[in-house]
């Protein structure tokens, strides 16, 4: 009896599908919704844009999103080229392993899993605080943030086990809702000719505007807002015609995300007026509610009802992101179990071909990351959300860099694809851009997490520590398997 059957004999119905996720489950749009959900668009706009404007380059912040989009696009060219030859739910670690060796790939797997679980835990913190505030506002009943978080963990676990198609449908509703109201605001502002100072295209996109203030800080937050697009490859096993679907979904995701953030942030600057935007963003941050910079002009445009709807959409945006990262992380656990780097029991799938065992473990990890903050009485936004989101961004950027290098090495060694732009030039340019982004993140990490320098240093050290732990684990696992029983 194999390990998967031993774990759950009633859950595997067909030996031919054992250890495999359900194929032909997702098309381009299904994958796109998972990616956009991981972006949590309203959260990214309401949380990152005010900081990028206030602390970064002011009215030139929209240009930072364009620059970040270019870097991500260059990275995705090599990423897609690799994906045509490697289809696996492990994505990052599989790609890195093919180019830089299995040990490096295994170390990166630890970083990827850590990053996805960290960003999900961060979202749980902000989500719990948001829902707690909404319930108290409308009912007068105060329930601790962590209670809402734990209840939501159960819901996410159930939806994750219900199958990838169900998750895609749920996320589609939430993503369309938050995208719709922000795009409607941006389009109406555009049609009306902008705010008190007009559209101010040059105030946001001219070279002078882009380079004013601290453009590096703005670029850092812009890159952080695009975290999650790489999930297109994670769903390759479940995609219809993955060699066509995944590339299309990847490029479409990058284009949609870049255009959305650049356009919406530009219209927010215009709505406030380019000369006043920096001060208004600063006031919103000083008040402790950065969302006011975004919610105020949207409410002014559409009326009081928007002010009531937006906080609810912020909660659903976070929920969608949590569910998306749950699905990404449990597929990493599933893939690591299948590779023998983690217990084989993680490969157990249910009748819907969902990795139920990996999903349970992922939920337990999420609870383990969140509960200490609840027990210690820490502020879920200023600590849990800020700290873990910063660590996650640093971890994923490291994986982007390693993947770009791996793409170049893999194709130089195998000759599987000889197109110089796709397999050499674009990946190298992407790696250089990502290296620059990593330097900016490291230099401004205290600002990114909103904490003190000592905390920033300890948090930064967790990423290389996890990488080394993954490398050691991989070597010990290979040694154990090479010794005769």
């Amino acid at each position: 009896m194999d390990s998967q059957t031993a774990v759950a004999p009633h859950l595997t119905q067909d030996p031919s599908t054992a250890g495999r996720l359900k194929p032909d489950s997702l098309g381009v749009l299904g994958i796109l919704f998972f990616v956009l959900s991981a972006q949590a668009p309203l959260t990214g706009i309401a949380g990152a844009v005010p900081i990028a404007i206030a602390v970064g380059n002011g009215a030139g912040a929209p240009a930072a999103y364009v620059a970040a989009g270019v870097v991500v696009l260059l990275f995705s060219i090599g990423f897609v080229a690799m994906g045509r030859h490697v289809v696996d739910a492990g994505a990052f670690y599989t790609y890195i392993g093919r180019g830089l060796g299995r040990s490096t790939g295994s170390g990166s797997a630890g970083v990827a899993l850590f990053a996805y679980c960290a960003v999900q835990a961060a979202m749980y913190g902000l989500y719990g605080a948001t829902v707690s505030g909404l319930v108290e506002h409308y009912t007068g009943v105060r329930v601790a943030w962590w209670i809402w978080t734990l209840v939501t963990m159960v819901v996410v676990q159930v939806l994750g086990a219900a199958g990838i198609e169900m998750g895609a449908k749920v996320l589609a509703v939430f993503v369309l809702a938050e995208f719709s109201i922000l795009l409607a605001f941006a389009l109406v502002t555009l049609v009306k000719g902008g705010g008190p100072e007009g559209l101010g295209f040059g105030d946001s996109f001219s070279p002078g505007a882009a380079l004013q203030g601290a453009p590096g800080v703005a670029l850092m937050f812009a890159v952080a807002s695009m975290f999650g697009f790489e999930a297109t490859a994670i769903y390759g096993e479940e995609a219809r015609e993955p060699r066509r679907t995944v590339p299309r979904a990847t490029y479409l995701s990058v284009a949609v995300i870049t255009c959305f953030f650049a356009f919406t942030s530009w219209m927010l600057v215009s709505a406030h007026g380019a000369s006043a935007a920096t001060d208004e963003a600063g006031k919103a941050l000083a008040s402790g509610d950065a969302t006011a910079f975004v919610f105020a002009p949207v409410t002014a445009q559409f009326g009081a009802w928007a002010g009531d709807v937006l906080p609810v959409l912020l909660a659903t945006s976070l929920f969608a992101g949590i569910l998306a990262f749950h699905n990404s992380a449990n597929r990493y656990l599933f893939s690591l179990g299948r590779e023998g780097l983690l217990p084989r029991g993680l490969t157990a799938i249910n009748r819907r071909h969902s990795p139920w065992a990996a999903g349970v473990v992922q939920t337990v990890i999420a609870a383990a990351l969140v509960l200490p903050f609840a027990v210690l009485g820490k502020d879920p936004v200023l600590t849990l959300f800020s700290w873990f989101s910063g660590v996650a961004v640093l971890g994923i950027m490291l994986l982007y860099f390693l993947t770009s290098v791996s793409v170049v090495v893999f194709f130089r060694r195998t000759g599987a694809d000889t197109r110089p732009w796709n397999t050499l030039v674009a990946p190298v340019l992407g790696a250089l851009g990502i290296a620059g982004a990593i330097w900016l993140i490291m230099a401004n990490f205290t600002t990114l997490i909103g904490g003190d320098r000592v905390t920033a240093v300890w948090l930064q050290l967790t990423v290389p520590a996890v990488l080394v732990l993954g490398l050691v684990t991989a070597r010990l696992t290979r040694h154990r398997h090479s010794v005769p029983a």
Side-chain angles (χ1 to χ4, degrees):
M1 182 178 290
D2 62 27
S3 60
Q4 180 173 314
T5 307
V7 172
H10 65 290
L11 293 175
T12 305
Q13 72 275 32
D14 182 354
S16 67
T17 60
R20 291 182 56 201
L21 300 174
K22 187 176 181 180
D24 301 323
S25 301
L26 293 171
V28 172
L29 291 179
I31 296 175
L32 178 64
F33 279 123
F34 272 105
V35 172
L36 296 183
S37 299
Q39 299 295 320
L42 181 56
T43 304
I45 289 292
V49 170
I51 303 175
I53 292 173
V55 185
N57 59 346
Y65 286 96
V66 175
V70 171
V71 172
V72 169
L73 178 61
L74 289 169
F75 165 80
S76 67
I77 292 171
F79 186 69
V80 164
M82 191 73 156
R84 294 182 186 277
H85 299 273
V86 182
V87 178
D88 189 273
F92 274 142
Y93 93 83
T94 308
Y95 291 8
I96 294 170
R98 290 293 183 91
L100 303 181
R102 189 173 180 183
S103 293
T104 306
S106 300
S108 67
V111 175
L113 184 60
F114 176 58
Y116 284 135
C117 289
V119 75
Q120 189 202 39
M123 287 182 160
Y124 269 127
L126 182 56
Y127 171 86
T130 301
V131 173
S132 178
L134 282 171
V135 172
E136 183 176 14
H137 175 75
Y138 287 109
T139 68
V141 177
R142 177 148 186 87
V143 179
W145 66 270
W146 56 268
I147 293 178
W148 295 113
T149 295
L150 291 177
V151 170
T152 302
M153 285 182 185
V154 176
V155 175
V156 168
Q157 173 61 34
V158 170
L159 285 174
I164 200 72
E165 301 100 324
M166 176 61 72
K169 292 174 182 176
V170 171
L171 294 178
V173 173
F174 292 151
V175 169
L176 286 173
E178 57 184 301
F179 256 80
S180 295
I181 193 165
L182 289 174
L183 280 179
F185 159 76
L187 289 170
V188 169
T189 303
L190 178 68
V191 171
K192 287 186 173 181
E197 300 173 19
L199 291 174
F201 182 85
D203 293 321
S204 290
F205 294 105
S206 68
L211 296 174
Q212 67 183 341
V217 174
L219 181 62
M220 176 184 68
F221 280 98
V223 170
S225 298
M226 297 190 177
F227 181 6
F229 86 94
E230 72 286 340
T232 53
I234 292 175
Y235 299 107
E237 283 188 49
E238 297 157 280
R240 304 185 193 99
E241 300 182 73
R243 284 177 172 78
R244 295 175 58 190
T245 301
V246 171
R248 291 176 181 176
T250 302
Y251 289 133
L252 184 59
S253 298
V254 173
V256 169
I257 292 164
T258 301
C259 292
F260 173 79
F261 277 101
F263 178 49
T264 305
S265 60
W266 173 32
M267 288 299 100
L268 284 168
V269 169
S270 176
H272 285 282
S275 64
T278 303
D279 288 340
E280 291 299 320
K283 291 176 183 176
L285 293 180
S287 72
D289 182 16
T291 64
F293 179 80
V294 176
F295 290 1
V298 176
T299 301
Q301 189 75 264
F302 295 133
W305 67 268
D308 294 326
V309 169
L310 283 168
V312 176
L313 288 180
L314 177 60
T316 59
S317 172
L318 288 163
F319 178 83
I322 287 167
L323 179 56
F325 281 114
H326 170 80
N327 283 316
S328 294
N330 67 26
R331 278 154 180 76
Y332 257 92
L333 287 166
F334 170 87
S335 186
L336 290 171
R338 188 166 57 186
E339 291 287 326
L341 294 171
L342 289 177
R344 294 282 183 183
L346 291 171
T347 62
I349 54 178
N350 61 20
R351 291 186 177 89
R352 293 181 179 272
H353 284 260
S354 294
W356 72 273
V360 170
V361 171
Q362 200 285 314
T363 299
V364 170
I365 292 173
L369 291 174
V370 169
L371 285 177
F373 289 84
V375 172
L376 296 173
K378 297 292 186 180
D379 186 292
V381 178
L382 298 180
T383 56
L384 178 56
F385 175 72
S386 298
W387 294 1
F388 279 2
S389 58
V391 167
V393 169
L394 183 58
I396 287 295
M397 293 308 295
L398 173 61
L399 294 177
Y400 286 176
F401 178 77
L402 291 175
T403 300
S404 292
V405 175
S406 179
V407 168
V408 175
V409 174
F410 174 79
F411 287 114
R412 298 285 73 72
R413 186 177 67 239
T414 65
D417 189 334
T418 58
R419 295 173 297 172
W421 171 253
N422 298 71
T423 64
L424 179 61
V425 179
V428 168
L429 292 175
L432 292 174
I434 292 163
I438 291 174
W439 180 83
L440 289 172
I441 290 170
M442 297 283 286
N444 298 281
F445 200 76
T446 304
T447 301
L448 181 62
I449 67 165
D452 59 82
R453 185 165 182 78
V454 174
T455 301
V457 170
W458 280 108
L459 289 173
Q460 289 177 80
L461 288 175
T462 60
V463 175
V466 170
L467 179 64
V468 171
L469 179 62
L471 287 166
V472 172
T473 301
R475 291 184 181 278
L476 291 176
T477 301
R478 284 209 310 276
H479 177 71
R480 186 173 65 249
H481 288 171
S482 66
V483 176

